[in-house]
Amino acid sequence: MAGEQRRKKRNKKMVFRINLMFFAVFILFSILIFRLGIVQIVYGENYKKEIEREVEVPVASTAPRGQIYDSKGRLVVGNKPQLAISYTRSQSTTQEDMIQTSELLAKMIKKDTEEDLKAITERDKQDFWIIKYPNEAAEKVSDKEKDKLLASDMSSKEVDDEIYKRTRERITEEELNAFKKDELEVLAIFREMASSRMLTPHFIKNKNVNEDEFALVSENLHLLPGIDTTVDWERYNALKDEDGEVTLSSVLGNVSSSKEGLPSEMLEYYQSKGYSRNDRVGKSYLELQYESVLQGQKKIMKNYTDKTGEVTKQDVVREGQAGKDLVLTTDIEFQQEVEKIIEKHVRSLRGSNYFLDRGFVSAMNPQTGEVLAMAGKQFVKDEKTGETEVMDYALGNMTSQYSMGSTIKGATVLAGYQEGVISPWSVLVDRPLYFDGTQPKRSWNTAGFGAINDLTALRKSSNVYMFLIAMRIGGQQEYIPRGKLRIDKDEGIRKLRYNFHQFGLGVKTGIDLPGEVTGQSPIPPNGGNTLDFAIGQFDTYSPLQLAQYVSTIANGGYRMQPQIVKEIREPNLENNQLGAVYQSIEPNVLNKITMKDAWIEHVQDGFIQVVNHPQGTANSGITNKKYKIAGKTGTAQAYYGGPLKVQSNPDTWNLTFVGYAPYDNPEIAISVVIPWLSSDKSKINLHIADEVFDAYFKMKTKQKDEENEEL
């Protein structure tokens, strides 16, 4: 009886527990159904939208670069359209997808040039081999090695990376070299695809795409996911001479290719400006200096992708626009004529002048600073063929420096006025100067010119007159025959350099190009060097600095900033004409020299005498007196500093000239620099200057006649 009661009592407890459990399950299901109802009824529409949501991804495409024209509107640098094949990678694309597309595309286009195949690295081949042969790749690392790695403290990612590293390292040379040419062609296409950014067009081939390739790919785009046919552009120089040399090529600079993209040293800078890694940008000189205006405005597309990463539609956010055009200050016809003059005269003397390999002419409008010509030629020996080629070296006008000799004596005389050691018409005695313990210092006329004034000193190019100015500036007022040179060399050269800097000698000219030099300004080891400075035999200057200096004298004392670009224009692609003016580059006065106007005019008279007086050093070499030319000759004894290997630096001669015309209303100022001749007897500097002035004024007359005919 007691046992029966205990059994009934246990059954009741069990039934209660079961009922309690069923009740709990009922409550939980009720809560679940309630929550599902809320999700479906209240939030259902939102979740549905989330599933169908499209992601907006902005994508920029390149635009043609701005073109470059000369001062008369002739095209100098332009863009040549070319057929291209591009690839846009979606978010869902796998390596296997790219391999499949690469194999199919390789049957339609050629991607087997030396440049294409040379770009393939060993790492590219290794990665490609692993993808192509996954089973063989898996066997490169044993299961035992993998288990040991998994049992280590390494993370799963570190394990995967280590397995991949060992796999790659164990691929043999024989396996990598087993790729056939058609497989390498597939690899060349694949590596382009693999290097592309998500949803950003990347060129697979944009050079030498023929019409058959373009048409075949266009017809099969439905089989080539991500591939598109488009039109790209190639930068080209429109002006080449008969030898294929490009006028002003060294000054115009270069643009990176789509493969090069952004320069690594400026990557962060350009990316902060909104550039993409594969954007083409100016790498040097004019293309670099005006990158911000030459670079086109990209077309901005907004891609809408679904959750799988596939593009569902596109909208144009901003239309693209070609970059703005540049108009140079240089007349290309005049530039090319000056180049021919330099080459002709340098070539004629090379046989008797072993070290002579270059020549320069800088021409400026002294009133505005506009660069009328910046010409340089260099004879370069090809190490492979042994042939000598003539290269454009216009850049050397601002990137190389030389001792300029007596051309700078105008600045020395004006410095003497400014420092109060001489005045206009001051008479000093030109005779050999003998100092204790040194070689005599004298003029080119070794006996001396006797008592002469400042204009005669300029006309005859007296060295001694300039030495005496430097001595006085350095604190020694009188020459004592056979005595010691007692000048303060440092103070003397400091004052001279300060005055020279006002003309642009020894400082940057400010030209709108990067990379110009200032010249060399060493510390003088003795007082004699300070005297040498006064005749252009110590510091070095660039040909462009020399042109700025003579322009400052020609225009009455205003140092003008040289400018090679005079206008920025809106692009006009419809009729290949110049567009509207976006910005005019106005003349910029860097400084007005502190000398009195009357002093400058006095030195101008001296420069007129140099060319037009029978005793002037340029009188016989400058024959075109009708152009009213004023100027100053220069001869500097200089150490050779060129590319030829020599046992010791031989003595050579730099022949120079500065001048302007017409002297009563100057419109052109030039410098001529011919370094490293074997002797100082040639008049090559004067012959070049004479022909440059003649070319300028004849071209000006010709253009006026053409304008009158049109009217």
Side-chain angles (χ1 to χ4, degrees), residues 226-238:
I227 297 295
D228 196 9
T229 49
T230 184
V231 177
D232 189 29
W233 55 269
E234 180 182 19
R235 201 71 163 161
Y236 78 101
N237 293 307

Side-chain angles (χ1 to χ4, degrees), residues 663-682:
Y663 51 67
D664 52 0
N665 186 23
E667 57 185 80
I668 178 174
I670 72 168
S671 70
V672 178
V673 179
I674 310 295
W676 306 329
L677 289 102
S678 299
S679 78
D680 61 345
K681 304 305 180 186
S682 169

Side-chain angles (χ1 to χ4, degrees), residues 367-622:
Q367 311 298 343
T368 64
E370 292 184 351
V371 175
L372 304 177
M374 193 160 73
K377 287 294 181 179
Q378 183 178 17
F379 288 75
V380 179
K381 185 176 181 179
D382 189 309
E383 296 295 335
K384 294 182 179 178
T385 65
E387 298 292 327
T388 297
E389 301 176 351
V390 183
M391 308 293 290
D392 175 78
Y393 195 28
L395 196 61
N397 282 277
M398 54 170 273
T399 60
S400 62
Q401 64 272 325
Y402 309 92
S403 297
M404 297 302 186
S406 299
T407 50
I408 57 85
K409 287 178 178 176
T412 303
V413 170
L414 283 163
Y417 300 155
Q418 182 67 17
E419 297 299 329
V421 300
I422 62 168
S423 58
W425 304 108
S426 287
V427 174
L428 301 175
V429 180
D430 184 319
R431 55 183 168 172
L433 303 180
Y434 294 91
F435 296 106
D436 183 34
T438 66
Q439 293 294 317
K441 301 188 81 66
R442 58 183 58 166
S443 295
W444 59 270
N445 179 0
T446 56
F449 295 113
I452 57 175
N453 62 34
D454 47 353
L455 294 191
T456 304
L458 288 172
R459 181 175 75 235
K460 294 185 175 183
S461 198
S462 165
N463 286 345
V464 172
Y465 197 98
M466 307 304 151
F467 293 151
L468 295 173
I469 291 174
M471 286 172 59
R472 292 183 175 189
I473 291 176
Q476 184 173 345
Q477 299 304 312
E478 298 295 334
Y479 162 64
I480 302 174
R482 307 292 178 178
K484 290 187 177 295
L485 179 61
R486 299 185 182 280
I487 70 169
D488 185 332
K489 61 183 177 63
D490 297 317
E491 183 66 7
I493 207 166
R494 184 192 67 78
K495 289 180 178 179
L496 283 166
R497 280 177 178 158
Y498 171 79
N499 284 283
F500 275 44
H501 289 175
Q502 295 187 58
F503 296 93
L505 294 170
V507 294
K508 289 188 176 182
T509 67
I511 189 172
D512 49 340
L513 289 169
E516 74 163 316
V517 299
T518 58
Q520 296 178 341
S521 301
I523 298 172
N526 56 64
N529 297 127
T530 302
L531 304 191
D532 293 337
F533 175 93
I535 64 168
Q537 293 269 176
F538 190 61
D539 282 12
T540 61
Y541 311 111
S542 72
L544 186 62
Q545 287 174 324
L546 214 58
Q548 187 182 52
Y549 146 72
V550 75
S551 292
T552 306
I553 291 177
N555 66 29
Y558 296 90
R559 185 165 77 98
M560 304 302 298
Q561 179 181 0
Q563 61 183 74
I564 198 166
V565 172
K566 71 174 183 178
E567 289 176 343
I568 300 172
R569 297 258 187 163
E570 295 287 358
N572 187 356
L573 304 179
E574 294 181 3
N575 52 13
N576 206 30
Q577 299 290 319
L578 288 173
V581 176
Y582 172 78
Q583 180 185 352
S584 292
I585 312 298
E586 299 298 327
N588 182 29
V589 179
L590 296 175
N591 61 272
K592 171 72 166 70
I593 63 175
T594 56
M595 293 81 174
K596 295 178 182 179
D597 292 346
W599 296 346
I600 300 169
E601 291 171 5
H602 196 65
V603 169
Q604 289 173 348
D605 289 340
F607 277 31
I608 292 172
Q609 290 188 25
V610 169
V611 177
N612 298 280
H613 192 283
Q615 294 180 340
T617 55
N619 181 261
S620 62
I622 302 292

Side-chain angles (χ1 to χ4, degrees), residues 163-291:
I163 292 174
Y164 165 73
K165 177 185 174 184
R166 295 184 186 184
T167 301
R168 186 167 50 78
E169 291 173 346
R170 293 172 184 179
I171 300 173
T172 65
E173 287 291 327
E174 184 180 358
E175 288 170 327
L176 291 181
N177 293 331
F179 285 125
K180 299 177 181 177
K181 188 175 181 180
D182 57 342
E183 289 180 304
L184 291 176
E185 196 170 354
V186 172
L187 173 53
I189 295 173
F190 170 74
R191 71 184 299 276
E192 293 288 355
M193 292 182 176
S195 64
S196 66
R197 294 179 62 196
M198 204 72 67
L199 298 175
T200 300
H202 180 88
F203 289 117
I204 300 298
K205 184 177 182 181
N206 60 349
K207 287 185 179 179
N208 303 318
V209 177
N210 61 51
E211 293 183 359
D212 291 339
E213 290 177 324
F214 193 81
L216 184 58
V217 174
S218 298
E219 292 169 1
N220 292 278
L221 291 178
H222 61 288
L223 301 175
L224 301 165
I227 297 295
D228 196 9
T229 49
T230 184
V231 177
D232 189 29
W233 55 269
E234 180 182 19
R235 201 71 163 161
Y236 78 101
N237 293 307
L239 301 172
K240 292 185 179 181
D241 60 21
E242 55 270 18
D243 298 322
E245 182 62 35
V246 180
T247 297
L248 272 177
S249 60
S250 60
V251 169
L252 295 171
N254 297 308
V255 176
S256 63
S257 67
S258 57
K259 288 184 180 295
E260 291 176 292
L262 302 181
S264 58
E265 66 274 13
M266 299 184 71
L267 181 62
E268 291 184 6
Y269 168 79
Y270 279 124
Q271 287 186 322
S272 70
K273 298 287 185 181
Y275 285 73
S276 299
R277 278 181 175 270
N278 62 343
D279 279 346
R280 284 164 285 192
V281 296
K283 294 196 298 182
S284 57
Y285 300 105
L286 196 69
E287 294 276 14
L288 172 61
Q289 182 74 17
Y290 286 91
E291 168 63 28

